[in-house]
Amino acid sequence: MLRRKDLLGIRDLSVNEIMTILQTAESMKGIVTGEAAKLEVLKGRSAVTLFYENSTRTRMAFTMAGTYLGAHVADLGVASSSVQKGESLVDTGITLDSMGIDYMIMRHGMSGAAHLLAKNVKASVINAGDGANEHPTQALLDFYTIYEKKGGFKNLKVTIVGDIAHSRVARSNVFGLTQLGAQVTLAGPGTLTAKSMEKLGCTVMTDVKAAVKDADIVMALRIQLERQKGGLFPNLREYSQIYGLNKEIFEYAKPDALLMHPAPVNRGVELTPELMDSKVSVIDEQVTNGVAVRMAILALLQEGRENA
Ligand code: CP
């Protein structure tokens, strides 16, 4: 079980908690693939998704995860809600609390938004991405995919390439993978990487080939044009020529290396379609694992609530 009300960031989780989530996800995966019967551990419970930013994978994965566990899952539909009349985040949360909602799963453009909501509601809050801060459930599904494919983390070289500066996925992965014993290298243009991230125990480079050399896992990140003010690189064509991953660069990684990407992918920018669609890619499996991991998180939080 998780003995905490909320899941807000990887930074707060112990190695034990992370491993409990991964092992529980392993036992849930058969439900996602149709090989095991659905559960009812959330029967009578309610969950709401509040997405102030767009999403396909995270929102749908939580919806399916809650449904497979027997919960009632509803979407607030932020674009058509009273948020558009100026209702604050805290007032929106208190309103949902008054309806007896058990789980609030929120994505927001502001770093710290999930923490603010969690302080003000009785419901368990799950951070589905807050600004450039953290995306803990994405990182947990990344960890699960690595664990499933490689059997552990000790001394694995994980190279993350792309728009590091704006990436909550990179931050959550660094917080967790360094704790789990992996060696993490971040790579991208100087304007999209921050040398200061080395304080977190990783290596930061601008030479992609050197960063990919001997990697066990190569994770590409999306260029987040929506968070950039412009001028950070000349244009997408030049970015893809220098920092985009293709089969030739991937040859520098270990022979059994895997390609990951949190998606959505800008095809032809951070990855060539040829590499993305090749057998080294586990991007589709990451999506499947995302449902299992979110089931594990909901089930473990519920167990904690029942034993509080
Ligand atoms: N990886 C991820 O968070 O995807 P969505 O934006 O589609 O949820």
Side-chain angles (χ1 to χ4, degrees):
M1 82 179 80
L2 288 174
R3 291 190 184 279
R4 51 175 64 244
K5 171 178 160 290
D6 311 297
L7 194 146
L8 302 176
I10 297 293
R11 201 170 208 168
D12 315 324
L13 296 182
S14 66
V15 167
N16 266 350
E17 286 177 302
I18 293 173
M19 291 312 298
T20 300
I21 293 168
L22 305 193
Q23 283 152 8
T24 307
E26 196 168 28
S27 71
M28 299 280 182
K29 187 163 174 180
I31 300 172
V32 186
T33 56
E35 291 155 285
K38 296 179 178 54
L39 299 175
E40 297 210 320
V41 298
L42 289 185
K43 191 164 188 239
R45 305 291 167 184
S46 53
V48 68
T49 53
L50 302 88
F51 277 58
Y52 289 75
E53 287 186 345
N54 296 340
S55 167
T56 296
R57 278 149 284 272
T58 313
R59 189 163 62 84
M60 283 310 300
F62 269 114
T63 303
M64 298 319 298
T67 306
Y68 289 160
L69 295 174
H72 294 287
V73 187
D75 181 54
L76 176 64
V78 169
S80 57
S81 75
S82 291
V83 169
Q84 304 307 325
K85 299 175 189 167
E87 189 164 42
S88 73
L89 170 59
V90 171
D91 285 340
T92 301
I94 292 169
T95 303
L96 295 171
D97 238 8
S98 305
M99 297 178 192
I101 303 291
D102 297 294
Y103 293 92
M104 296 184 195
I105 299 146
M106 186 177 73
R107 172 171 291 183
H108 202 286
M110 186 182 80
S111 294
H115 295 73
L116 175 66
L117 181 65
K119 271 194 202 114
N120 286 282
V121 296
K122 292 193 286 294
S124 289
V125 174
I126 302 175
N127 182 4
D130 63 323
N133 180 38
E134 281 226 42
H135 192 347
T137 66
Q138 175 66 47
L140 286 162
L141 78 86
D142 295 337
F143 304 161
Y144 177 59
T145 305
I146 295 171
Y147 177 68
E148 189 179 51
K149 298 286 178 189
K150 298 288 181 186
F153 302 92
K154 286 270 177 292
N155 301 321
L156 282 187
K157 178 174 175 181
V158 182
T159 296
I160 305 177
V161 182
D163 182 354
I164 307 293
H166 299 93
S167 178
R168 52 197 177 205
V169 176
R171 282 170 58 82
S172 288
N173 266 282
V174 170
F175 291 142
L177 288 171
T178 51
Q179 274 204 81
L180 291 163
Q183 296 163 17
V184 183
T185 299
L186 307 177
T191 48
L192 294 178
T193 48
K195 199 72 181 161
S196 58
M197 282 189 83
E198 289 195 338
K199 281 188 292 200
L200 304 177
C202 57
T203 304
V204 177
M205 308 176 85
T206 52
D207 182 339
V208 173
K209 283 180 185 157
V212 168
K213 189 166 174 1
D214 297 328
D216 298 281
I217 304 289
V218 182
M219 186 187 299
L221 298 177
R222 185 172 66 87
I223 288 290
Q224 299 192 42
L225 292 171
E226 72 275 21
R227 292 191 209 283
Q228 298 179 11
K229 294 191 176 71
L232 297 175
F233 52 87
N235 56 51
L236 288 177
R237 190 175 54 80
E238 287 198 21
Y239 176 88
S240 68
Q241 279 172 359
I242 301 171
Y243 296 102
L245 297 179
N246 53 37
K247 281 201 155 176
E248 186 209 335
I249 291 178
F250 205 81
E251 291 281 306
Y252 285 81
K254 286 198 180 144
D256 60 349
L258 299 174
L259 173 71
M260 298 175 69
H261 191 304
V265 178
N266 295 306
R267 270 183 184 261
V269 178
E270 58 260 11
L271 293 179
T272 58
E274 187 191 21
L275 182 64
M276 181 174 167
D277 298 330
S278 73
K279 64 182 188 331
V280 299
S281 169
V282 293
I283 296 170
D284 292 341
E285 285 176 73
Q286 286 176 263
V287 176
T288 306
N289 290 342
V291 183
V293 162
R294 274 113 184 180
M295 288 174 77
I297 292 165
L298 288 167
L300 290 166
L301 285 174
Q302 181 61 28
E303 202 183 344
R305 286 161 68 106
E306 286 169 12
N307 288 282

